[in-house]
Amino acid sequence: MIKCTLKFSMAMLLKTTSSGLLTTIAISKPLNKCFFTRAASLATLRLARSFHCSLPRKTTKKMVTLIVATTTDPASINPANALLAMPGWDPTPSCLQDMKGFGNGAGGVRVLLHNKGIVEEDDLDRRWEEATGERVDELVFLSKHTAVSNRPALTVHPIGVPHLRPGDAAPQGGRPGWAAPPSPRIGPWLRHLKKLAQAHNLVPEFEITLEGTHHGPITNTPTMFLEIGSTDEYWKRQDAAQVIALLVWEGLGLGGGAAVGNWNGEKDKNRVLLGIGGGHYAPRHMDIVLKDGVWVGHLLSGYSLPMEDPNQSKAETNTKEIGGTWREAIKAGFEATQSAFPGGEILAHLDHKSFKSWQKNAITGFLGEQNIKIGKPNDFY
């Protein structure tokens, strides 16, 4: 209960501070002091959160970055906690049910913690904007990585399941035929991650690598996943968590330095690699992306390019005769990459050795039909 010697028509008005925290200010002159019990303070905080999340939104929307982690995964929550231990973070209303929020006012960055699987919370970009009026311009998800090899790894990758047909199950989230815009930071952050991992003596124990485009959750904002693999022992490694946290901290310029990987579409450095073919860890695309200044979009591994053999592998093949969803996957990957790199020139880079001749002929023919240029390694440097 509130113990107070004064009656207000409305005692307090909520105010948002520059750091994003809520406070209260009096809007009528008190006749005496008003004392609040602990219960009343908690009730006021709940009211504040509710009020903040339902305020009318300004026409000009603030742009923010969302860092998303789940408490159910040590490879997700440990880097998030390491990041939140760095300066400048304050608890804020998450405005989304059953999620905790933290804000770093200087950088326009928000951390969201939830208790579901990392691929289960769809449309966080849209939901956050609807709840707060802040427009999300990029999403970074923290997650564990699994691999048959069990090899320790730190990985970076775009997301989507563009090869699935409508109605297909998507066991790892996403929507069949969909590919999220890839974060332009993927290439620059991969290179920075390698430097940080080397500086913290994680290399050569940990492999630093890209992964092909795969899984959800659904977003329509430039997105990347940062993952620690590949077994429970490594998911819990605090040194790996610290390196991922430093990558986010330095990559977004939260420590005062320049952010890493801001896309500006400069004409002399605007070529973007669209990876086509190869294994899940994209080794031939990696060889190019590790070079300074290279930008990378979607990476469509062989399993994301289902092609049905027309039994004409020794003859010229009409691309229309080859079944499978490979065309749809390439088109979705190209369009999503194009949307993430405005003003960029998207060049397809093929892992030629991963294709049979009829597959390569079909893909190059389709790329020509779609006016998608093919790049050689030197075209990206």
Side-chain angles (χ1 to χ4, degrees):
M1 296 294 292
I2 299 177
K3 298 178 181 179
C4 186
T5 61
L6 171 67
K7 292 184 179 179
F8 293 82
S9 58
M10 181 176 180
M12 294 184 176
L13 178 69
L14 297 177
K15 178 182 178 181
T16 304
T17 68
S18 60
S19 65
L21 289 174
L22 294 176
T23 186
T24 56
I25 56 175
I27 62 170
S28 61
K29 294 180 180 179
L31 300 175
N32 206 330
K33 291 183 178 179
C34 185
F35 301 93
F36 293 84
T37 64
R38 176 182 174 88
S41 297
L42 292 174
T44 302
L45 178 58
R46 287 193 293 269
L47 173 62
R49 290 184 173 182
S50 174
F51 187 92
H52 175 70
C53 294
S54 61
L55 283 172
R57 307 302 167 200
K58 295 180 181 179
T59 302
T60 302
K61 297 183 177 181
K62 182 176 182 177
M63 306 293 283
V64 299
T65 297
L66 286 187
I67 312 297
V68 184
T70 173
T71 60
T72 65
D73 172 9
S76 181
I77 191 61
N78 288 350
N81 285 337
L83 178 64
L84 292 172
M86 296 175 184
W89 296 99
D90 293 304
T92 61
S94 76
C95 295
L96 298 178
Q97 187 175 8
D98 298 326
M99 296 192 190
K100 293 181 180 180
F102 300 84
N104 193 303
V109 180
R110 308 287 181 258
V111 170
L112 287 181
L113 307 180
H114 64 74
N115 56 11
K116 296 183 179 179
I118 197 69
V119 301
E120 295 178 22
E121 287 285 0
D122 289 331
D123 300 312
L124 281 174
D125 45 355
R126 174 184 57 77
R127 291 159 57 193
W128 182 261
E129 182 175 348
E130 290 175 353
T132 67
E134 294 179 333
R135 180 171 295 169
V136 179
D137 61 355
E138 59 183 328
L139 278 157
V140 179
F141 290 85
L142 309 178
S143 177
K144 66 183 177 183
H145 171 69
T146 59
V148 175
S149 68
N150 291 333
R151 181 174 179 180
L154 303 178
T155 77
V156 187
H157 72 86
I159 63 171
V161 283
H163 61 294
L164 295 183
R165 300 178 187 272
D168 283 353
Q172 292 184 306
R175 180 178 60 245
W178 153 89
S183 170
R185 299 188 194 276
I186 289 175
W189 279 29
L190 173 75
R191 296 188 289 271
H192 196 59
L193 175 60
K194 187 171 183 178
K195 292 176 183 177
L196 289 172
Q198 290 171 334
H200 286 77
N201 300 315
L202 292 184
V203 176
E205 181 183 13
F206 281 78
E207 181 180 10
I208 313 302
T209 183
L210 292 169
E211 290 183 76
T213 297
H214 66 304
H215 69 63
I218 297 170
T219 76
N220 291 294
T221 298
T223 299
M224 76 165 107
F225 261 63
L226 303 176
E227 301 186 359
I228 300 173
S230 299
T231 65
D232 187 66
E233 174 189 353
Y234 297 105
W235 299 333
K236 295 177 179 178
R237 282 274 292 266
Q238 290 297 330
D239 51 355
Q242 186 67 25
V243 163
I244 294 295
L246 280 171
L247 175 63
V248 176
W249 178 259
E250 295 181 4
L252 295 176
L254 292 175
V260 177
N262 286 339
W263 169 257
N264 56 25
E266 293 180 6
K267 288 186 178 180
D268 59 336
K269 296 180 180 179
N270 72 339
R271 290 182 171 177
V272 182
L273 184 149
L274 171 67
I276 297 180
H280 181 68
Y281 297 101
R284 289 187 176 84
H285 307 312
M286 272 275 295
D287 290 342
I288 297 172
V289 178
L290 284 173
K291 303 286 187 182
D292 286 341
V294 177
W295 302 94
V296 61
H298 275 291
L299 297 163
L300 305 176
S301 300
Y303 61 80
S304 292
L305 300 165
M307 304 179 77
E308 297 172 3
D309 189 345
N311 296 317
Q312 297 176 343
S313 55
K314 303 248 181 185
E316 289 190 17
T317 301
N318 186 332
T319 62
K320 294 180 180 178
E321 297 175 359
I322 300 175
T325 57
W326 57 280
R327 300 178 194 82
E328 291 82 358
I330 291 173
K331 190 172 181 181
F334 172 78
E335 291 176 351
T337 300
Q338 197 172 43
S339 73
F341 291 89
E345 182 182 8
I346 315 302
L347 300 181
H349 179 257
L350 276 63
D351 183 339
H352 291 281
K353 293 183 179 181
S354 70
F355 295 116
K356 297 178 180 178
S357 60
W358 64 269
Q359 293 174 316
K360 184 166 65 175
N361 291 339
I363 289 172
T364 55
F366 179 73
L367 292 173
E369 293 170 8
Q370 298 296 308
N371 296 314
I372 301 173
K373 296 179 180 179
I374 298 174
K376 296 180 180 179
N378 289 340
D379 293 329
F380 298 96
Y381 304 149

